[in-house]
Amino acid sequence: MLTNRLWLSPKQKGRGEGTAPNDEPAPVVHFKEPALRAGSFATDTSLFHIFYDSVIPPHVQLQSFQPISLPYLEKTVAAMKPSGSPEDVIPPRLLKEVFPFISHNVLDILNSSLTLAEVPSAFKHAVLQPILKKPGLDPTDYSNLRPISKLPFLSKVLEKIVYEQMLTHLNDNQVMDIFQSGFRKQHSTETAHVRVFNDIFLALDSGFHVVLLLLDLSAAFDTIDHNILITRLQTWAGISGSALDWFRSYFYNRSARVMLDGCSSESQPLRWGVPQGSILGPLLFNLYILPLGAIFRRHAVSYHLYADDCQIYFSFKPTQSMQVLSDCIDNVKLWLADNFLHLNDSKTEVIVFNPHSIPAT
């Protein structure tokens, strides 16, 4: 009989991997045990919208981005890493050194963007520089290359300002999915693993079988539809007014070119996806896939997300039908197709846990 807890050995604690206890004492992470029922791990749906489309009440709308003060800008720039684009007129390291002399000019530019809801065109061009995914791979095979997107330094400063104001709004109104661990403070792969493993151990301890599906999305960040994302910001995140207009400008007329071995391609428009290498990109992706959680909750299927990695799991008795899980997967596939996201079937894995195959402790 498994105990209702997740054991973490000293070596595994940092990786968030669950294991049964061995001969030596291991630290224990205790959890409040939920009331288990077939097909669910007692997810609290009261915190979430249970329909595919959600309307945020007017009183929680983020209607505009507020201008910033000079001290706030100076603090933001000082905290930024000196990374930018090869097209930056002033290299980021030098810009940070001379910033006290140009800070008022930069402040005017950024505040104008926030108040006029318009992103400067120079901020919307990226330079892609491919690098090898792993040392020793064949550089002539393009599948071995990973494109690194480099954006102007000041564009990242502007995004950081918008990010902070937007994040305050999202956190204050509990917009984010609490089972999304990607790109969030106090969340990590470890917190995701601990929660999933603990739920599975609890189910097995109660005599349930558990099926775990590891879903893989192909190039998810690159296929996001801008119009759908704008609608999602409005209906799910409560972004409206000039703040929403700012995002329309942010996505309008973006472009990129490739630089490799001193050669450069012509600039090409970027009509889909969130900007790689941007500060806002990961947050926007998390908002884009918010309805996925509603689908899982509607079918009473447990889940956990880490950016575009999705783990869904379902507890059942041998005599119970799996139709609920099958219907859930069908709805997920339909939603992904409607939102221009693709499920990579070849990399999707299924694991079935049998309570009788787990050694007693």
Side-chain angles (χ1 to χ4, degrees):
M1 187 74 171
L2 287 174
T3 54
N4 292 330
R5 56 194 179 187
L6 175 63
W7 292 86
L8 299 176
S9 70
K11 291 183 179 180
Q12 292 170 317
K13 187 177 181 182
R15 297 198 302 269
E17 297 177 356
T19 178
N22 49 29
D23 294 336
E24 61 182 14
V28 179
V29 180
H30 293 278
F31 295 83
K32 181 178 180 181
E33 183 172 349
L36 285 169
R37 60 186 175 87
S40 173
F41 292 91
T43 301
D44 181 6
T45 59
S46 64
L47 299 177
F48 299 101
H49 311 287
I50 60 174
F51 301 105
Y52 290 94
D53 292 309
S54 172
V55 177
I56 302 296
H59 66 277
V60 296
Q61 297 283 318
L62 176 61
Q63 298 182 346
S64 62
F65 294 119
Q66 300 303 309
I68 60 170
S69 65
L70 183 59
Y72 180 90
L73 175 60
E74 292 172 339
K75 182 179 179 180
T76 300
V77 171
M80 298 282 292
K81 294 181 179 180
S83 61
S85 166
E87 296 184 343
D88 277 330
V89 177
I90 304 177
R93 290 187 183 276
L94 178 59
L95 186 144
K96 294 186 69 172
E97 291 180 6
V98 303
F99 191 74
F101 303 100
I102 61 174
S103 57
H104 286 86
N105 303 88
V106 174
L107 181 67
D108 290 341
I109 294 172
L110 301 186
N111 277 340
S112 294
S113 174
L114 297 174
T115 55
L116 299 176
E118 186 171 343
V119 179
S121 58
F123 286 9
K124 297 188 284 187
H125 182 73
V127 175
L128 303 179
Q129 294 184 318
I131 63 171
L132 282 175
K133 293 180 179 179
K134 294 180 181 179
L137 295 177
D138 182 6
T140 62
D141 184 351
Y142 294 156
S143 64
N144 293 332
L145 299 177
R146 175 181 290 110
I148 302 300
S149 179
K150 297 189 175 182
L151 294 166
F153 178 76
L154 288 182
S155 74
K156 294 183 179 181
V157 176
L158 177 60
E159 287 194 34
K160 182 65 174 179
I161 295 167
V162 170
Y163 175 88
E164 293 294 343
Q165 295 190 28
M166 193 173 175
L167 194 62
T168 298
H169 162 76
L170 297 174
N171 289 337
D172 288 348
N173 296 287
Q174 297 182 332
V175 173
M176 301 302 295
D177 193 327
I178 62 171
F179 298 134
Q180 169 62 266
S181 293
F183 310 111
R184 299 179 65 192
K185 288 183 178 180
Q186 299 179 337
H187 291 261
S188 65
T189 54
E190 182 176 354
T191 60
H193 287 160
V194 166
R195 188 250 170 173
V196 172
F197 286 147
N198 184 68
D199 282 352
I200 291 175
F201 273 110
L202 288 174
L204 296 175
D205 194 18
S206 298
F208 288 91
H209 292 65
V210 179
V211 58
L212 170 66
L213 280 78
L214 309 176
L215 306 183
D216 182 81
L217 301 181
S218 299
F221 283 70
D222 298 326
T223 60
I224 285 178
D225 182 88
H226 293 165
N227 291 327
I228 294 177
L229 178 54
I230 291 296
T231 301
R232 197 132 301 146
L233 291 175
Q234 185 175 20
T235 58
W236 284 77
I239 309 298
S240 62
S242 64
L244 192 64
D245 290 337
W246 188 92
F247 277 106
R248 290 192 178 100
S249 174
Y250 177 78
F251 286 113
Y252 177 73
N253 204 26
R254 297 196 75 94
S255 61
R257 64 186 179 93
V258 178
M259 289 186 65
L260 181 62
D261 295 333
C263 299
S264 175
S265 70
E266 295 183 358
S267 294
Q268 297 294 327
L270 297 177
R271 299 187 178 94
W272 305 277
V274 292
Q276 297 283 353
S278 66
I279 292 176
L280 286 170
L283 176 62
L284 293 174
F285 178 82
N286 284 350
L287 294 174
Y288 190 82
I289 63 172
L290 272 178
L292 266 182
I295 297 175
F296 297 134
R297 292 187 295 275
R298 170 176 288 188
H299 291 279
V301 172
S302 296
Y303 69 98
H304 208 100
L305 303 164
Y306 191 90
D308 57 340
D309 291 329
C310 179
Q311 302 175 77
I312 64 176
Y313 46 106
F314 182 80
S315 61
F316 64 98
K317 294 290 187 178
T319 57
Q320 181 184 349
S321 171
M322 298 291 289
Q323 189 61 42
V324 170
L325 182 60
S326 178
D327 291 343
C328 178
I329 297 302
D330 289 342
N331 285 347
V332 167
K333 287 185 175 181
L334 287 174
W335 184 88
L336 291 175
D338 288 342
N339 289 270
F340 301 96
L341 297 173
H342 177 65
L343 185 63
N344 189 339
D345 292 330
S346 64
K347 291 186 178 181
T348 295
E349 299 182 27
V350 180
I351 304 174
V352 179
F353 297 90
N354 183 342
H356 304 295
S357 64
I358 304 297
T361 60

